[in-house]
């Protein structure tokens, strides 16, 4: 009887592992099919350029910014409350650092069929309402955010041009308090940008992005 119980337990565990492996394989296939099998960039990696549609209907690439020293690439959207909390701060980042060679380039990674508030027309209206001073691009086909490894809105990637390449220098959050800009004690993005401008090492190169998950096409 004891041996029978042991055999039964082994059988149950084995079946459980098989089910888990099948689920993992299915998830892996799904992510591969959707282009989500890429782990994304790490600090020091070269970021490839892209060509995405802006809210003004024009196609925008990083290569269009001939005089830029780098970029503040931010994956964001319309509907997410975290993204909304940061909108004014993103505008301020662009106003402060664009003149120093680091403009903001915002990208909406969400599929509008999953989240209708993040549709292209809604992006146009939001950019006009908030008077965005930067490009607000749509990641049609959701091909760019997996390359970067963006998982949240907002998710920041600070890039610097080096020898003709776009090198990732910082990944993560804008600061350490999404809810209230007056209570921020760590200005991650600003600190990274100030260090780049001064030619100094960045103290904190990676933080955890806080926000809504990217809405992927089902």
């Amino acid at each position: 009887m004891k041996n029978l119980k042991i055999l039964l337990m082994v059988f149950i565990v084995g079946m459980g592992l098989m089910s888990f492996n099948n689920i993992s394989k299915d998830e892996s296939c799904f992510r591969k099919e959707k282009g989500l099998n890429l782990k994304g960039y790490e600090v020091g990696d070269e970021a490839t350029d892209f060509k995405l549609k802006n809210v003004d209907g024009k196609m925008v690439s990083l290569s269009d910014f001939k005089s830029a020293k780098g970029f503040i690439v931010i994956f964001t959207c319309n509907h997410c409350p975290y993204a909304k909390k940061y909108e004014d701060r993103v505008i301020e980042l662009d106003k402060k650092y664009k003149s120093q060679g680091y403009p903001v380039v915002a990208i909406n990674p969400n599929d509008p069929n999953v989240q209708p508030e993040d549709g292209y027309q809604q992006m146009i209206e939001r950019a006009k309402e908030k008077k965005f001073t930067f490009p607000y691009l749509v990641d049609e086909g959701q091909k760019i955010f997996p390359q970067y490894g963006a998982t949240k809105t907002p998710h920041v990637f600070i890039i610097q041009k080096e020898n003709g390449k776009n090198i990732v220098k910082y990944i993560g959050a804008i600061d350490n308090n999404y809810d209230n800009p007056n209570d921020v004690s760590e200005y991650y993005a600003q600190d990274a940008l100030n260090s780049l401008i001064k030619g100094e090492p960045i103290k904190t190169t990676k933080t955890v992005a806080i926000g809504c998950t990217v809405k992927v096409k089902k």
Side-chain angles (χ1 to χ4, degrees), residues 42-206:
E42 295 292 344
V43 172
D45 287 348
E46 178 184 359
T48 55
D49 203 349
F50 46 74
K51 194 170 188 178
L52 300 175
K53 186 166 67 173
N54 190 17
V55 287
D56 62 3
K58 298 179 180 179
M59 302 302 290
V60 174
S61 299
L62 297 181
S63 60
D64 295 334
F65 299 79
K66 304 299 183 184
S67 61
K69 298 176 182 177
F71 306 93
I72 310 168
V73 177
I74 303 179
F75 290 87
T76 187
C77 66
N78 290 356
H79 89 278
C80 176
Y82 295 88
K84 289 179 179 179
K85 288 275 188 179
Y86 272 115
E87 282 176 329
D88 290 338
R89 278 174 272 185
V90 172
I91 293 171
E92 288 303 312
L93 279 173
D94 185 58
K95 288 181 177 179
K96 181 175 182 178
Y97 292 100
K98 180 162 55 181
S99 61
Q100 300 183 69
Y102 294 86
V104 165
V105 178
I107 301 174
N108 176 9
N110 289 341
D111 185 276
N113 293 315
V114 179
Q115 178 48 257
E117 290 181 53
D118 291 330
Y120 183 64
Q121 186 58 43
Q122 288 76 10
M123 288 174 60
I124 295 172
E125 294 169 1
R126 190 63 179 174
K128 184 177 180 180
E129 177 187 348
K130 293 297 297 185
K131 298 179 180 179
F132 285 170
T133 57
F134 46 82
Y136 188 22
L137 313 178
V138 56
D139 187 5
E140 290 183 307
Q142 298 189 303
K143 298 182 183 301
I144 302 305
F145 89 82
Q147 292 182 24
Y148 276 72
T151 60
K152 304 288 185 181
T153 52
H155 205 151
V156 181
F157 295 78
I158 294 178
I159 294 168
Q160 180 164 265
K161 289 184 179 180
E162 293 182 356
N163 301 316
K165 297 179 180 180
N166 296 315
I167 306 300
V168 179
K169 294 293 184 177
Y170 169 81
I171 301 173
I174 293 174
D175 55 44
N176 70 342
N177 194 313
Y178 80 90
D179 191 50
N180 190 343
N182 296 320
D183 290 335
V184 172
S185 59
E186 295 285 345
Y187 295 86
Y188 305 126
Q190 288 194 52
D191 289 347
L193 288 160
N194 290 337
S195 294
L196 288 176
I197 291 168
K198 294 176 182 177
E200 299 174 352
I202 297 173
K203 181 181 178 181
T204 302
T205 58
K206 193 169 185 179

